[in-house]
């Protein structure tokens, strides 16, 4: 009964946010609903007996798998062709923007209430929903990661109409209610989307378990989906929109339900520093990425959109509205997303070791 109440509240809140054009409305709504339950302890049932409401592990892993399938399915033949034609400047732009955002994360991690892993995953550019889903498994504070990641996405979306006008494009791409239409719409029939998602998720999780892959429920399906989608055999099949919204909501609930009053105060203290660093990352990635992608023949607007640290669906929609090279923008954004998610376990392990050494030093 408690879950029905939470689900109904999440759905109603998500519907209202979607009408207001809030990006990732299902995820945001679920975070708020979960936060309300965690802080108030309501709704209470005789089965809970004071225990916190938590998602079952198979449910959260299923949501991660769906996000993995979605991420991998973005790697289409046209994307690979674009990367092959301009691989050097594209790769340089991807590496540069990742290094800038990781450096900002390490700066955030200098705060006493934020460790290096949490700071890095909170600030790193690429795959906000995916990083939020696996942050806890990689040793980071999932709550801080979620709040800072989506604060960055929100700032990018708010600034996009102004940036598009200044750099010579239209302002239409800032409407987040339509920002995902070009990527989430499938060319395949609905049953093919369902079959593709279920089969890839199952195979990916199984292979990840065999390989003992860190963050396997997300990375396994992502790699399988990327391998299959890159061949073109899937005919553009992707995750069905209703399934994707449920997955976003489940990830949001997982984050929201884990809050306490104490760590909510911690997140509040982190936000001013995070906000300054986010602005710095947006400016720095533009300064580094625009000259590099000019070498690939990109316009200034497309170069900015390709390297901006977040808001994948919105930047592609803005490029399309302005008549830009949408394929190049998508190629750079997708490559960075895949690289970041694949490197996340290695970064988490390295920063986790660094954090343990720092805590062992005298005075820490």
């Amino acid at each position: 009964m408690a879950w029905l109440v939470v689900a109904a509240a999440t759905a109603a809140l998500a519907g209202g946010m979607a009408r207001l054009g809030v990006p990732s409305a299902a995820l945001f709504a679920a975070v708020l609903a979960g936060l309300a339950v965690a802080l108030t302890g309501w709704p209470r049932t005789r089965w809970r007996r004071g225990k916190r409401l938590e998602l079952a592990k198979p449910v959260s892993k299923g949501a991660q798998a769906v996000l993995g399938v979605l991420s991998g399915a973005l790697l289409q033949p046209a994307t690979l062709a674009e990367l092959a034609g301009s691989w050097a400047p594209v790769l340089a732009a991807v590496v540069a923007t990742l290094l800038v955002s990781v450096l900002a994360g390490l700066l955030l991690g200098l705060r006493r209430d934020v460790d290096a892993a949490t700071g890095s995953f909170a600030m790193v550019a690429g795959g906000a929903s995916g990083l939020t889903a696996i942050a806890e498994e990689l040793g980071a504070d999932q709550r801080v990661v979620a709040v800072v990641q989506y604060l960055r996405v929100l700032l990018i979306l708010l600034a996009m109409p102004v940036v598009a006008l200044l750099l010579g494009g239209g302002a239409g791409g800032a409407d987040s209610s339509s920002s995902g239409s070009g990527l989430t719409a499938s060319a395949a029939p609905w049953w093919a989307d369902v079959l593709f998602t279920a089969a890839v998720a199952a195979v990916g999780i199984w292979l990840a378990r065999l390989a003992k892959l860190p963050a396997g429920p997300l990375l396994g399906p992502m790699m399988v989906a990327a391998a299959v989608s890159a061949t073109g055999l899937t005919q553009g099949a992707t995750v069905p929109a209703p399934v994707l919204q449920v997955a976003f909501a489940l990830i949001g609930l997982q984050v929201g339900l884990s809050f306490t009053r104490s760590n909510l105060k911690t997140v509040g203290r982190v936000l001013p520093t995070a906000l300054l660093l986010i602005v710095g990352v947006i400016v720095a990635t533009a300064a580094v990425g625009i000259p590099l992608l000019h070498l690939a023949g990109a316009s200034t607007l497309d170069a900015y959109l390709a390297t901006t640290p977040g808001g994948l669906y919105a930047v592609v929609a803005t490029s399309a509205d302005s008549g830009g090279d949408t394929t190049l923008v998508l190629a750079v954004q997708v490559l960075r997303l895949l690289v970041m998610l694949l490197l996340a376990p290695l970064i988490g392990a390295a920063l986790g070791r660094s954090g343990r050494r720092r805590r062992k030093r005298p005075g820490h």
Side-chain angles (χ1 to χ4, degrees):
M1 187 62 175
W3 284 116
L4 289 177
V5 174
V6 173
T10 300
L13 190 55
M17 287 183 163
R19 291 189 186 90
L20 294 174
V22 176
S24 301
L27 190 145
F28 275 127
V31 169
L32 293 177
L35 177 62
V37 172
L39 297 184
T40 65
W42 188 90
R44 296 179 176 86
T45 70
R46 60 191 179 94
W47 294 283
R48 285 180 62 194
R49 299 191 178 201
K51 294 182 180 179
R52 295 176 64 89
L53 200 62
E54 294 179 350
L55 284 180
K57 286 188 177 180
V59 174
S60 61
K61 288 182 178 180
Q64 290 182 32
V66 169
L67 297 184
V69 175
L70 175 70
S71 301
L74 293 173
L75 192 64
Q76 296 292 322
T79 307
L80 288 175
E82 186 71 39
L83 292 173
S86 311
W87 68 269
V90 167
L91 183 60
V94 167
V95 172
T97 54
L98 286 177
L99 287 176
V100 166
S101 60
V102 170
L103 177 60
L106 293 176
L107 292 176
L108 182 60
L110 294 177
R111 289 182 56 98
R112 291 183 178 181
D113 45 7
V114 179
D115 58 72
T118 298
S120 293
F121 289 134
M123 294 299 304
V124 78
S129 57
L131 286 173
T132 297
I134 62 176
E136 186 175 5
E137 183 177 344
L138 299 179
D141 188 328
Q142 189 180 45
R143 295 155 296 221
V144 175
V145 171
V147 172
V148 176
Q149 281 281 343
Y150 281 97
L151 176 61
R152 187 184 69 241
V153 171
L154 184 60
L155 288 178
I156 288 170
L157 293 180
L158 291 174
M160 200 167 294
V162 176
V163 173
L165 287 173
L166 291 176
L167 298 183
D175 179 4
S176 60
S177 64
S178 63
S179 62
S181 59
L183 296 178
T184 56
S186 173
W190 68 268
W191 57 265
D193 286 341
V194 173
L195 181 62
F196 170 75
T197 302
V200 169
V203 172
I205 290 174
W206 176 67
L207 290 176
R209 189 178 296 132
L210 285 180
K212 297 181 180 179
L213 189 68
L218 184 140
L219 296 184
M222 185 187 78
M223 289 190 289
V224 173
V228 176
S229 296
T231 65
L233 296 176
T234 61
Q235 297 297 308
T238 188
V239 178
V243 175
L244 180 60
Q245 295 308 310
V246 170
F248 279 143
L250 291 173
I251 295 299
L253 281 175
Q254 182 180 342
V255 174
L257 290 170
S258 65
F259 271 100
T260 64
R261 286 182 173 82
S262 174
N263 52 49
L264 184 60
K265 291 178 181 178
T266 298
V267 172
R269 290 194 299 269
V270 168
L271 284 182
T273 304
L275 183 59
L276 290 175
L277 288 172
I278 287 169
V279 173
V281 166
I282 293 173
V283 173
T285 53
V288 173
I290 289 175
L292 287 172
L293 289 186
H294 277 165
L295 299 175
S299 68
T300 299
L301 176 59
D302 279 338
Y304 169 81
L305 295 174
T307 55
T308 193
L312 171 63
Y313 299 130
V315 298
V316 172
T318 302
S319 178
D321 288 348
S322 64
D325 189 347
T326 305
T327 305
L328 175 66
V329 172
L330 179 61
V332 178
Q333 288 278 351
V334 168
L335 180 61
R336 188 180 64 203
L337 181 151
L338 296 177
V339 169
M340 186 59 249
L341 291 178
L342 288 172
L343 291 179
L346 298 178
I347 294 173
L351 294 178
R353 288 194 296 269
S354 174
R356 286 191 292 272
R357 285 197 298 269
R358 189 174 73 172
R359 287 191 293 271
K360 289 179 181 179
R361 291 175 186 169
H364 284 75

